[in-house]
Amino acid sequence: MQFAGINYIAVLASAVASFMFGGVWYKFLAKPWMAAAGLTEDVINASQKRGAATYLMALAFVAQLIMAIVLAGLIGHLGNDQVTLRNGIISALFVWAGFVITAIAVNHSFQMRLGTLTLIDGGHWLGVLLIQGALIGFVGV
């Protein structure tokens, strides 16, 4: 299923896969992430009692769906015959290096957060984009 050169099945699959990756990533890095972000278990538990977890998970999924749509559009601009696994991965790396990690690094620096937070969050978004780029490129248009 495609519209305007974007394969929406690939987009949806890549959003789901990258969302699941995030769950695994932060499950294993929860304690160092909390320490680097300056959060405590009490703060996390209090936000969950207010229903924040549902909102945050929905926000994360919608954000990754939008990211996958935009990445598919960028990859598609290479040309229909250029939507490949290789070009999907390369495009994902360029987007991460040019927009994502630079923005995270600046924000975390001004927020006076530890470099560990930048590494954890930046690694997460690198994984998200690589998964999305690989799936979108592999499935093609």
Side-chain angles (χ1 to χ4, degrees):
M1 175 181 180
Q2 64 175 314
F3 175 73
I6 294 176
N7 185 323
Y8 286 101
I9 300 297
V11 165
L12 183 59
S14 69
V16 169
S18 62
F19 181 79
M20 291 170 51
F21 163 77
V24 173
W25 181 265
Y26 284 108
K27 179 174 179 58
F28 286 109
L29 295 172
K31 291 202 184 283
W33 176 82
M34 285 174 37
L39 298 171
T40 64
E41 287 192 36
D42 291 339
V43 170
I44 300 290
N45 292 335
S47 72
Q48 288 177 345
K49 287 180 183 174
R50 292 191 315 267
T54 303
Y55 166 77
L56 292 172
M57 291 301 144
L59 176 64
F61 182 76
V62 169
Q64 289 187 31
L65 184 60
I66 292 168
M67 186 178 281
I69 291 168
V70 172
L71 185 58
L74 288 171
I75 296 167
H77 271 78
L78 297 173
N80 284 348
D81 60 335
Q82 295 298 310
V83 180
T84 64
L85 175 64
R86 179 177 184 271
N87 286 339
I89 290 171
I90 291 169
S91 297
L93 284 170
F94 271 103
V95 168
W96 180 81
F99 299 105
V100 176
I101 195 62
T102 53
I104 289 172
V106 169
N107 286 351
H108 287 175
S109 294
F110 274 98
Q111 294 166 1
M112 297 181 196
R113 298 294 183 194
L114 298 174
T116 307
L117 184 62
T118 302
L119 291 174
I120 293 170
D121 288 345
H124 164 255
W125 290 112
L126 176 60
V128 164
L129 282 162
L130 288 174
I131 288 167
Q132 290 184 357
L135 284 171
I136 291 165
F138 179 74
V139 173
V141 292

